Structures are given as structure tokens and as C-alpha cells.
Amino acid sequence: MKSRNVTLVAIDDDPELLALVSAALGGEDGLELLTLEDPVEALEVVRRRRPQIVLVDLMMGETSGMDLLERIVRIDPATDVILMTAYYSTESAVEAIQKGACGYLDKPFTGEQLRARVSPLIAEAKRRLRTQQLDEQLLETNRFEGIIGRSPAMREVFASIRRVAPYFRTVLITGATGTGKELVAQAFHRLSPAAKGPLVVCNCAAIPEDLFESELFGHVRGAFTSATSDKPGMFETANGGILFLDEIGEIPLAAQAKLLRAVQSQEFQRIGSTVLRKVDTRIVCATNRSPRKEVELKNFREDLYFRISMIEIRLPRLTERREDLPLLVSHFIAHFARQYEKPVEGITRRAEAAILRHPWAGNVRELENVIGYACMMTDSAKIDACDLPPSFFGEEETAGGEVEMIPLEELERLHARRVLDAVGGDKPRAAAILGVSRATLYRLLQSK
């Protein structure tokens, strides 16, 4: 895999200084260097090229380096911007840092001083690019029939689907709302002998109770007042393919009895008809409830449960597969960037840290909604924490609330440990997310 080059843009109206920058950094391996005298042209280049590092002169005729700094940071908050100035002051340094600069470089400076200041930023940018490339490769290698995951829990799900898909007649998928049950149903369809037949989706929660039998098995003309013509049901429509019964726990007990017979014998009658119809329909069922508890509560027939649950696949919550979060974020960013036709390429470390510590009660569906919102709202190449929806942050993050009485050192250690666990023990990645050096990360982890 060929590594991408780091792009550095130097903006100054002094040609001699730009010549010094070119001489000092021009031979750097893996670095693309662009030098520009015109601030307007430079801003357009920054917008188009999305450099990782920008050197900006504080004073360029009528153009203020501070204004340019603000515009660059708005384009991409992850850009490392260094202000170059012969008029250093503590006040301007503080203002620059507050506006997003990562540092100052006093003029005049030598090529050696420039390299000493910029080389760590170049090394860090190269590491981030390599990580991004690896994430893109991981995204492709950890995609199974449209489902993304590399966690042990998801690999077990993938293995079960592979083993079961060629042979199943009925399968039950359980898991919380938003975990991807319909994606698993689609995977079963593609990998089963029924792939050439239809996949018919029945959202059981959306069907009125008195219409279940008609929707599932169809009716003949005159069967009831509004039956003005014959209508095939979903069971019949799925003949030769798969019927996906989403939220099967919502089916009334009366309809469950007829469904049991149809599943057992692959035979049924339309409402109002005496004709027995034979089909070859595989059944995939899904529920966000505990089927066993529903049986105990007499809300679900025990015989139907045993009929559909020969194979039961449980989908883990997102909090049980946090190592999949970076892959899922990358996937959704790429998806919404295409949909919105916006050049969104990733997220900042602040946004990544916020995403990693979020509880994700809505699982993957909630993550998709959050990233979709952020891609729509951001004006830069990378999603920042401020682009995340207001509802993303709980009251404890946006309001007063009770303060947890934990020493700061202990709080830092706990947060560092949570981030490290979330990225599967990858210490360099955890350090990057936290915005600290590896040595600092080790210190945080070892502190008591």
C-alpha cells in the first residue's frame, strides 16, 4: 500500500521567506509543499487541497493572519496551523491558540529551527494518514454482505450466517432496536438457495390487529366488506423466496396459530377461501424482545417459538462491539458524503473521543443518524464535536447537574482506560484520540 503524501501550505507575501521554507522542507520524503504569496489564492488552495499543515504570516499587507487562521480552521478544524510573525506578543499568542492555531514561529528563523518546529507535525500527520488508509482497508476487509464489524461478537454472527444460510427453513434474529436485524435478513436471502426468489418484508408492528391474517395470507373477493377483489398475502408473495417477519412479537395470538400451521406445513388458505395453497417460503423472524419472556407472559405461543427458533442469532448492542465504532463511523461518513455531495473525509479527535464515550442506546441506527446530521451540518472536511446534534450530549454534559466527586487524576486515568478499551488496546490510536503523547498515556494508565 503506497502511503499518501502529507500536504503543507506556506502563506507569506515575502518571497525570500517562502524560498527559505522550500529549501528547508522541500526535500522531506512524503511531503508535498505548496508556497503561496496571495492570501486569497492560498485560501482557495486550502479549501481544495485540505492540507494537514499550514504556515501563515501574521501580517500580509491588508490581510490579517488571524482572519486567515479562522477561515482555515473553519474549513478543517484538524489542520495544524502555525503563525509566523516578527511581532510576537503574549496577547496575540493567546488569541491565536483560542482561534485554533497550534503554535507560533518567531521571525526571523533558520531552516533548522523551522524543521525542528514542523517535523513533529509532519510525523503525526503521516501517522494519521496511515491510520486513515488502514481504516479504509479494514472497512473493506471487515464488510460481510453489507454488515460491518471486526469484533469477536460480530465475527461469530457472520460465521453463524455462513453456516446456516444454505440450509435453514426458519431462523430467529434477536437484538435491541437498531442493531441491524434487517441487514442480517438480507444476508440470509443473498446466501440462501432462495436468493433468486423475492425477499418480502413484513413490519408486524405497523399492521392493525384486525388485518394481520389478510396481510399474511391474503383474501378472496367478498371475504369481508372491503374485499372487492382477490388479494395474495405476503406468505404467498414470498413463494420461492424469504418472508421476513420483523418484530414478530407484535403478531396477535389468533394470527400466531395460523402462522404456526403455515410454517409447519407450508400450506395456508386465503381468508374466505376453502382452497389449500402450497408454497415454498423460508421464514426469517426478528424481535427486539426476549422471546422466552414473551412466552412466559403468554404473549407469544410456545409452540410457535420452538418452531421458529431452531436457529437463533443474537445481535450484540453497539456497546458490546465498541471496537467496530471507527469502522462504522468511516462507513457512514463515506455514505453521507456521497449522498450530500460534500467533501467530508473524517472526524476530529475531539469528535472521535465524544463518539467513543457515548452510551449508544439506539445502537447502529442512532450512530447512523448522528453521523448523517453531522455530515449535513459541518462546513469542513472533518466532523468536529460541535457538528454533533444537540441531543447527542446528555444533560450532564450541557447543564449543571451533580458533580461526580472524583479526583482529577483518577478521572483522567478512567477516561484514558475507557478510550484504550474502546479501540481494542491500540495505544498509539488511543493516544491520538486523547491528544496526548504515548508517554503521557502510559503515565495516565499507571497513575493510581
Side-chain angles (χ1 to χ4, degrees), residues 298-309:
K298 307 298 182 183
N299 294 329
F300 200 81
R301 292 179 62 104
E302 185 176 39
D303 48 3
L304 178 58
Y305 168 64
F306 286 127
R307 172 59 60 181
I308 65 175
S309 64

Side-chain angles (χ1 to χ4, degrees), residues 213-234:
E213 289 188 36
S214 174
E215 290 297 317
L216 286 176
F217 307 114
H219 59 257
V220 296
R221 181 181 178 183
F224 44 85
T225 305
S226 59
T228 57
S229 62
D230 291 357
K231 176 191 171 184
M234 293 185 181

Side-chain angles (χ1 to χ4, degrees), residues 73-133:
V73 170
R74 275 201 300 269
I75 292 170
D76 188 349
T79 304
D80 290 321
V81 183
I82 295 178
L83 285 179
M84 304 178 293
T85 181
Y87 309 99
Y88 176 84
S89 70
T90 303
E91 292 77 12
S92 59
V94 171
E95 182 185 359
I97 297 301
Q98 289 175 338
K99 290 182 175 180
C102 68
Y104 252 85
L105 194 56
D106 291 331
K107 293 181 179 180
F109 51 78
T110 65
E112 186 176 342
Q113 290 172 325
L114 175 64
R115 283 193 296 272
R117 183 68 185 84
V118 173
S119 290
L121 298 179
I122 295 173
E124 173 61 16
K126 286 179 179 178
R127 190 202 64 76
R128 289 202 305 266
L129 282 177
R130 284 196 298 271
T131 299
Q132 184 180 342
Q133 285 182 278

